[in-house]
Amino acid sequence: MQCIIEFINRNAYITIAITGKNFCYAAKEGFGIVWSNPLRFGALAGVGRALSFVGNLLIVSLSTISFYLIIQYTPFNEKIQNPFLMTAIVFVISVVISMVFVYVFSAAMDTILICFILDEQVFKALGGTSSKPINAPPEIAELFN
């Protein structure tokens, strides 16, 4: 239940940022956007999870390995008694930092998709005959269609 509420809140806040409407309207609108485009959001969720996993893995592994190499092959090596403890601390810090970066990246992906869908809806409301959006760059329009 909490997962559903967080999902609705996230889409509501994105819709508020785009449209400037109140929370209740934005929650209804955000849920309607997701409900009317399940394949797009499903594909974005799958790609997003894969990119999040790879991003977390790269950030954590590269920062931890580079820290370990720096403390092993620099003049600081003589002064450090336990390099594994320091490496473990860097590992924990890099996990937290990577989670923050990946969360922001995920929010940006959701925002771009919602902007694209709202752009399509505005084009249709103005009398457009196709689902081609007005303001989206051609590369993004081609990717989402």
Side-chain angles (χ1 to χ4, degrees):
M1 183 70 170
Q2 181 180 352
C3 182
I4 295 170
I5 292 172
E6 288 175 3
F7 183 73
I8 291 172
N9 275 343
R10 182 177 176 138
N11 290 326
Y13 286 129
I14 291 170
T15 308
I16 288 170
I18 295 170
T19 63
K21 305 289 184 181
N22 63 33
F23 180 80
C24 293
Y25 174 82
K28 177 183 157 279
E29 184 77 17
F31 186 75
I33 289 170
V34 174
W35 189 260
S36 64
N37 297 286
L39 293 177
R40 286 178 172 172
F41 278 93
L44 182 71
V47 170
R49 282 196 184 122
L51 289 176
S52 296
F53 176 74
V54 170
N56 278 330
L57 187 67
L58 282 174
I59 291 170
V60 171
S61 62
L62 290 177
S63 62
T64 305
I65 290 169
S66 63
F67 176 78
Y68 180 75
L69 293 174
I70 287 171
I71 64 171
Q72 281 296 94
Y73 299 109
T74 60
F76 300 114
N77 191 13
E78 296 91 27
K79 297 177 184 177
I80 298 173
Q81 294 177 358
N82 190 357
F84 294 109
L85 177 63
M86 293 180 70
T87 306
I89 292 170
V90 168
F91 174 79
V92 170
I93 292 170
S94 65
V95 166
V96 171
I97 290 172
S98 72
M99 289 172 66
V100 170
F101 274 105
V102 168
Y103 182 78
V104 170
F105 179 73
S106 174
M109 286 191 320
D110 288 343
T111 304
I112 289 170
L113 180 60
I114 290 175
C115 283
F116 179 81
I117 293 170
L118 286 174
D119 191 22
E120 280 184 341
Q121 290 176 354
V122 166
F123 182 71
K124 287 179 184 176
L126 293 175
T129 56
S130 69
S131 64
K132 179 182 174 192
I134 300 172
N135 298 312
E139 297 83 13
I140 292 179
E142 189 175 307
L143 178 69
F144 285 131
N145 285 329

